[in-house]
Amino acid sequence: MSQQRSIWSRLYNGETSIRFVSRMKLWFLLSLAVIAIGMVSLFTRGLNFGIDFEGGTAWEVRAPGVSVSEARDALRPVGMGDAKIQIIGDDLIRVQESASDPAKSAQVTQALADLAKVPTNQVNLNEVGPSWGEEITNKARQALIVFLIAITIYISLRFEWKMAVATLVALVHDILVTVGAYSLSGFEVTPATVIAGLTILGYSIYDGIVVFDKVDENTRGLAASGRMTYGDMVNLSLNQVLMRSLNTSITALLPILSLLVVGGFVLGATTLQDFALALLIGLTASAYSSIFIASPLLALLKEREPRYASIKERVLARGGTGAPLTPAAAAAALGGDGGDTPLRPTTAAPRTPPRPRKKGKRR
């Protein structure tokens, strides 16, 4: 218990020394495994597109106390026993069918009215064509292309193109994880899901920029001194902003959980549920990718440059790199010896206890 408090205390004070960069193969393999499982599901099962994308007819009626199986039994005589039936909130029954002629539509309306014991005019009927969802998808695709071009130019000008590459890889990672999660779970893809996907991209960029801004700041100081490899400097930067990244992610996820649980499951607002579910999956993936994918990938790309490859060789020749530095240890080491020795963790240095003085003698 005391060890857990110590870990939380170091995390709160920004004094962690977690090996993010040196374990990049583990993070990459973990992400590849998750994405591969999702892609296999995507190509074998596909996505569960909603009525806005497939087109069809939806009926909604309030029927307190009626279960899905009872609704299915009531619809089976009119040939709708296999229709998609949902209970939204406590008493709203929603039935969806991909195609329905007017005569069959009237039969379904009458069957639902009999089941709910209400007049037929209290059964809401909505017919949706597939063109609406297709139009939203096309506009979302155009917005995504413009967004990717703009963010690539901005990061390349503000930082450098290798940071833009790492950011785009993290974005693709977040999109593939979210799509795979929807395919595996069978969650319905609605226009709200597409809008949430665009929101995820913005958050993913923001989280990565926070880390890269710290990396850029440290590059001018720590990495330029030639006493620390670029990978160690990225690892140090990640530990410096780790608490901030966690705070940002938790602060963003809490209202989304509220939308999902209270708005979606308790109050039965399906649009809120679709929107919040996609945000929850995407934001969790983006919080992970900014730390475990984008930053280690940046270190991998930068250490291929002759300058940082040479620094790494010199540091290794002098006996580095050892355990990762905490932010306090890095600051203390940089200010202590004038830059002739590689940085080492101050906490790992053995301490010799002072010799006891003899009694009765004074100097």
Side-chain angles (χ1 to χ4, degrees):
M1 188 67 184
S2 59
Q3 186 179 359
Q4 291 180 353
R5 283 198 299 270
S6 175
I7 291 173
W8 284 110
S9 175
R10 285 188 286 119
L11 180 63
Y12 180 79
N13 292 294
E15 291 301 324
T16 55
S17 56
I18 303 172
R19 297 175 182 270
F20 293 108
V21 175
S22 60
R23 294 174 179 167
M24 67 172 73
K25 291 182 179 178
L26 175 63
W27 317 133
F28 292 170
L29 287 175
L30 181 62
S31 291
L32 284 175
V34 172
I35 291 173
I37 293 172
M39 291 302 101
V40 170
S41 175
L42 179 65
F43 288 111
T44 54
R45 299 176 54 185
L47 292 171
N48 178 21
F49 286 105
I51 191 173
D52 299 309
F53 292 95
E54 298 288 345
T57 308
W59 295 263
E60 291 183 350
V61 63
R62 295 200 175 278
V66 175
S67 65
V68 172
S69 60
E70 289 173 333
R72 197 174 299 284
D73 291 340
L75 294 172
R76 190 165 286 115
V78 295
M80 293 278 287
D82 296 328
K84 183 177 181 180
I85 302 174
Q86 296 175 287
I87 301 293
I88 301 172
D90 294 330
D91 57 357
L92 184 65
I93 293 181
R94 187 181 192 190
V95 179
Q96 294 183 28
E97 181 69 8
S98 58
S100 177
D101 56 68
K104 187 175 182 180
S105 176
Q107 292 176 347
V108 174
T109 301
Q110 185 63 54
L112 290 174
D114 294 341
L115 178 67
K117 297 181 175 57
V118 296
T120 54
N121 60 4
Q122 292 188 20
V123 179
N124 295 323
L125 174 64
N126 295 310
E127 294 182 350
V128 181
S131 59
W132 193 68
E134 185 179 353
E135 182 180 353
I136 291 179
T137 304
N138 291 333
K139 290 183 178 179
R141 187 184 301 116
Q142 294 170 5
L144 177 62
I145 293 172
V146 173
F147 170 80
L148 292 178
I149 294 174
I151 202 63
T152 302
I153 294 174
Y154 170 75
I155 296 177
S156 299
L157 294 177
R158 172 62 180 83
F159 300 107
E160 61 173 295
W161 68 269
K162 289 183 179 177
M163 287 188 178
V165 170
T167 302
L168 293 180
V169 171
L171 277 177
V172 174
H173 169 275
D174 300 343
I175 294 172
L176 293 180
V177 169
T178 305
V179 171
Y182 265 76
S183 177
L184 284 168
S185 61
F187 293 141
E188 189 176 44
V189 179
T190 66
T193 309
V194 177
I195 296 170
L198 295 177
T199 309
I200 292 167
L201 300 181
Y203 180 84
S204 181
I205 291 293
Y206 168 78
D207 215 26
I209 290 296
V210 170
V211 178
F212 286 164
D213 187 61
K214 192 65 181 177
V215 170
D216 186 58
E217 178 185 334
N218 286 340
T219 301
R220 294 191 294 269
L222 297 175
S225 69
R227 302 164 56 203
M228 175 181 281
T229 67
Y230 196 90
D232 288 342
M233 188 273 298
V234 172
N235 198 82
L236 175 64
S237 303
L238 283 169
N239 281 285
Q240 287 174 319
V241 300
L242 180 59
M243 193 63 208
R244 179 178 176 179
S245 296
L246 291 177
N247 281 333
T248 305
S249 301
I250 292 171
T251 305
L253 288 173
L254 283 178
I256 293 170
L257 277 174
S258 176
L259 283 177
L260 182 62
V261 175
V262 179
F265 296 131
V266 177
L267 299 179
T270 53
T271 303
L272 284 180
Q273 180 180 332
D274 297 338
F275 185 73
L277 187 60
L279 278 183
L280 182 68
I281 297 172
L283 262 61
T284 304
S286 64
Y288 171 85
S289 66
S290 64
I291 296 175
F292 295 96
I293 302 297
S295 300
L297 179 60
L298 173 66
L300 184 65
L301 294 174
K302 292 292 290 184
E303 288 194 338
R304 294 177 179 273
E305 295 181 5
R307 175 190 176 190
Y308 293 111
S310 174
I311 292 175
K312 185 175 182 178
E313 288 180 1
R314 291 201 302 270
V315 171
L316 290 174
R318 292 197 297 258
T321 65
L325 293 170
T326 64
L334 274 176
D337 61 2
D340 294 331
T341 59
L343 298 180
R344 295 175 183 278
T346 55
T347 53
R351 299 182 61 183
T352 304
R355 298 178 59 185
R357 293 183 177 179
K358 294 182 180 180
K359 294 182 179 180
K361 289 186 177 181
R362 291 186 177 179
R363 295 181 179 178

